[in-house]
Amino acid sequence: MTDDEFRAALSRLAAGVVLITAQEPPLDEHGRGEEVGMTATAFMSVSLDPPLVMVSLRNDSRMDDLLAEQPLWAVSVLTDGQRQIAGRFAMKGRISDRLLFEDIPCIRGEVTGAPLVGGALTTLECRTEQRVLAGDHTLVIGRVLTASVPSADGEPLTYFKGRYRQLG
């Protein structure tokens, strides 16, 4: 089996789209670290007791490096109307994360300090419990510290056959 065959086969699995966010540790005691975000489709619930979720991060990506040292992070489950946010944080060779967050309505998580996207279907704040090396990715398992459903409106943004899609 080739990489392309494997990729094509798994592109037939629809996935929800989330924005994973965290805050870099401050460079000094007077500042706040930069906010970092990454679009993810490999995200899932793992356990109810305790409440655990998992995200898969490409090894040596900025988010993988950050979550190796910063145990607190957040998840915003995006709506089909937030496709632009997903695309913005999925770009390769993108501009700084500070500029990417500039015009996105966010609130700061009370526990993690990470940005939570306004209007998201669901937001979670997490603390890393375990990191598992799995091929060219790291599976980050996080304990959910807070969960909120800020928006009852909207449908989930999904990813299917290499494109963002809407249900229905």
Side-chain angles (χ1 to χ4, degrees):
M1 171 183 60
T2 68
D3 289 352
D4 288 340
E5 289 169 331
F6 182 65
R7 190 175 291 114
L10 291 185
S11 76
R12 290 350 189 233
L13 176 64
V17 181
V18 301
L19 184 67
I20 305 294
T21 57
Q23 188 174 44
E24 290 182 326
L27 295 175
D28 60 41
E29 67 277 2
H30 304 294
R32 198 168 68 196
E34 185 172 344
E35 298 164 338
V36 177
M38 181 199 91
T39 301
T41 56
F43 175 80
M44 63 182 281
S45 169
V46 173
S47 169
L48 183 60
D49 185 20
L52 299 174
V53 294
M54 185 202 73
V55 64
S56 179
L57 306 175
R58 185 175 37 81
N59 292 342
D60 301 320
S61 66
R62 183 168 184 203
M63 188 62 74
D64 179 43
D65 291 345
L66 175 56
L67 293 190
E69 65 177 86
Q70 163 62 283
L72 299 174
W73 46 282
V75 180
S76 297
V77 178
L78 300 180
T79 69
D80 58 6
Q82 295 174 319
R83 182 183 304 215
Q84 183 180 15
I85 294 171
R88 180 184 290 193
F89 284 90
M91 291 187 311
K92 293 184 194 294
R94 62 189 197 203
I95 57 176
S96 82
D97 284 45
R98 184 181 324 108
L99 295 175
L100 294 177
F101 279 107
E102 201 167 76
D103 61 348
I104 296 174
C106 290
I107 62 167
R108 187 164 305 287
E110 293 180 23
V111 175
T112 63
L116 300 168
V117 176
L121 288 176
T122 298
T123 59
L124 307 169
E125 292 184 89
C126 305
R127 182 185 65 241
T128 299
E129 292 275 310
Q130 189 175 2
R131 292 172 55 87
V132 179
L133 188 60
D136 58 2
H137 279 65
T138 298
L139 307 178
V140 179
I141 300 170
R143 179 180 294 255
V144 179
L145 305 172
T146 69
S148 175
V149 181
S151 177
D153 297 331
E155 295 291 325
L157 181 60
T158 59
Y159 194 73
F160 180 69
K161 292 173 79 175
R163 293 184 34 217
Y164 296 118
R165 310 281 181 142
Q166 296 176 309
L167 291 181

